[in-house]
Amino acid sequence: GWARAAVVLACAALGFSWAAWRAEVRLADELPAAWEVRDIEMIGVVAALPQRFERGERFLFDVEEVLTPRARVPRRIFLSWYHSWDELERVVERDVEDGEAKEDEANAAPRAMRPGERWRFTARLKRPHGGANPHGFDYEAWLLERGIRATGAIRARQEIARLDDFVWRPGYVIERLRDRVRERFLTELPDAPYTGVLIALSIGDQRSIPAALWQVFNRTGVTQLVSISGLHVTMIAALCGLLVGGLWRRSERLALWLPAQKAAVVAAWMAALLYALLAGFEVPAQRTLYMLSVVALTLCSGRHLGASRTLLLALFTVLLADPWAVMATGFWLSFGAVAVLFFAGTG
């Protein structure tokens, strides 16, 4: 008994130390108070799918270089670009090959940003702040969980220049693909009432759903159905696994090379990975992918650990990769629901 108690305490201390170290590293990447609400010129890349609203757009921005002397800016920030109605500034495109600046007449109007583009502009930032109302949404914790250490707005009256059309990195490639899928939906179904729902279920962009539809979904209690969660990722993985497994069994050569069950598991995991990436790799999709990864490794290795051990191993993997997952209600709902299903199914 004493040995088990010591192991439990040691594991708790190790988990607390791991989470505290991760938090310390993330909190160290902060915006100094002296540089709040001051003009800072910077160069960086649009890191994720921009969220457009009536008078502008919001987007994640990976800072590559700070041009303002002695200024220090976090590596990832969340910016807003408000397009004023009388905005007369022109976006200056930089020709990388010739190194000469040229004005594009087509860019005289405010230009929508796209993921993977490199921009230079001046912005005013502030450190993360959120309301402290009891039982309300913790905006500051939400920013911390996603590694966003400052928010702000672009100074539209200063020079805004697009330096590169696309920066080749794996994350930016995925975000550009999501942007193309959204634009294709908007182009092919411009007036369809449920275009926003299709976009939300395809790439996880819930802001495309009109406010009136959100009100209907909230009153009918089906909000979870239009938000990509573990249910959607698991459903896509299961359908792909069933399809590949059924086709795999029809080939004797393939079945002798790799059992159909393992081929179905691998195909299901790959489908879950691709869908999670296309959906923006949000926290619920990440947790589901980690859980499916543990299950896939267990089935492919031929070692049956049991339902409870498999669930605990998935829980360990999720907390190892994302210590802030315990702050999300979906974390407890996901693992709690799976635990109840395992208990009911295995007795």
Side-chain angles (χ1 to χ4, degrees), residues 193-209:
Y194 294 104
T195 302
V197 177
L198 296 176
I199 294 175
L201 292 176
S202 301
I203 61 174
D205 183 19
Q206 301 177 14
R207 296 179 181 270
S208 300
I209 300 178

Side-chain angles (χ1 to χ4, degrees), residues 81-308:
W81 187 4
Y82 297 94
H83 304 318
S84 58
W85 299 117
D86 58 345
E87 189 173 24
L88 300 178
E89 287 79 11
R90 297 184 177 187
V91 177
V92 180
E93 287 197 15
R94 297 290 182 181
D95 191 334
V96 180
E97 296 180 356
D98 299 334
E100 299 178 355
K102 62 180 181 179
E103 283 189 345
D104 189 354
E105 296 296 335
N107 288 332
R111 183 186 184 283
M113 288 186 168
R114 301 182 65 188
E117 292 180 339
R118 179 178 282 121
W119 288 77
R120 187 192 70 211
F121 47 70
T122 301
R124 285 188 176 182
L125 305 177
K126 61 180 180 180
R127 296 194 289 183
H129 298 288
N133 299 323
H135 310 294
F137 178 69
D138 194 340
Y139 182 63
E140 190 171 345
W142 183 85
L143 293 175
L144 176 65
E145 183 181 359
R146 284 156 177 78
I148 304 172
R149 302 300 302 135
T151 60
I154 294 178
R155 299 284 290 170
R157 297 298 176 181
Q158 304 292 336
E159 181 185 4
I160 302 175
R162 182 170 62 89
L163 305 182
D164 291 303
D165 182 68
F166 187 69
V167 178
W168 287 95
R169 293 177 189 172
Y172 301 153
V173 172
I174 296 172
E175 292 299 327
R176 179 60 68 91
L177 176 62
R178 298 179 66 217
D179 180 71
R180 289 185 177 180
V181 172
R182 182 176 66 175
E183 293 300 324
R184 187 64 179 271
F185 269 113
L186 295 177
T187 302
E188 298 295 333
L189 304 172
D191 300 323
Y194 294 104
T195 302
V197 177
L198 296 176
I199 294 175
L201 292 176
S202 301
I203 61 174
D205 183 19
Q206 301 177 14
R207 296 179 181 270
S208 300
I209 300 178
L213 276 181
W214 268 122
Q215 187 176 8
V216 174
F217 295 154
N218 288 329
R219 291 183 176 181
T220 54
V222 296
T223 305
Q224 187 67 17
L225 298 180
V226 295
S227 303
I228 293 181
S229 60
L231 175 65
H232 299 85
V233 177
T234 306
M235 181 180 64
I236 295 296
L239 291 176
C240 185
L242 290 174
L243 178 62
V244 172
L247 295 177
W248 201 274
R249 291 183 178 92
R250 297 179 179 273
S251 174
E252 180 180 354
R253 180 177 300 179
L254 292 177
L256 292 175
W257 177 66
L258 182 68
Q261 295 86 347
K262 292 186 177 181
V265 169
V266 174
W269 181 84
M270 293 183 63
L273 174 63
L274 294 177
Y275 186 56
L277 292 175
L278 187 62
F281 210 58
E282 293 292 336
V283 177
Q286 292 180 28
R287 290 196 299 267
T288 305
L289 180 63
Y290 297 149
M291 294 176 66
L292 292 177
S293 300
V294 172
V295 175
L297 288 175
T298 302
L299 295 176
C300 290
S301 63
R303 297 187 178 185
H304 300 285
L305 302 178
S308 59

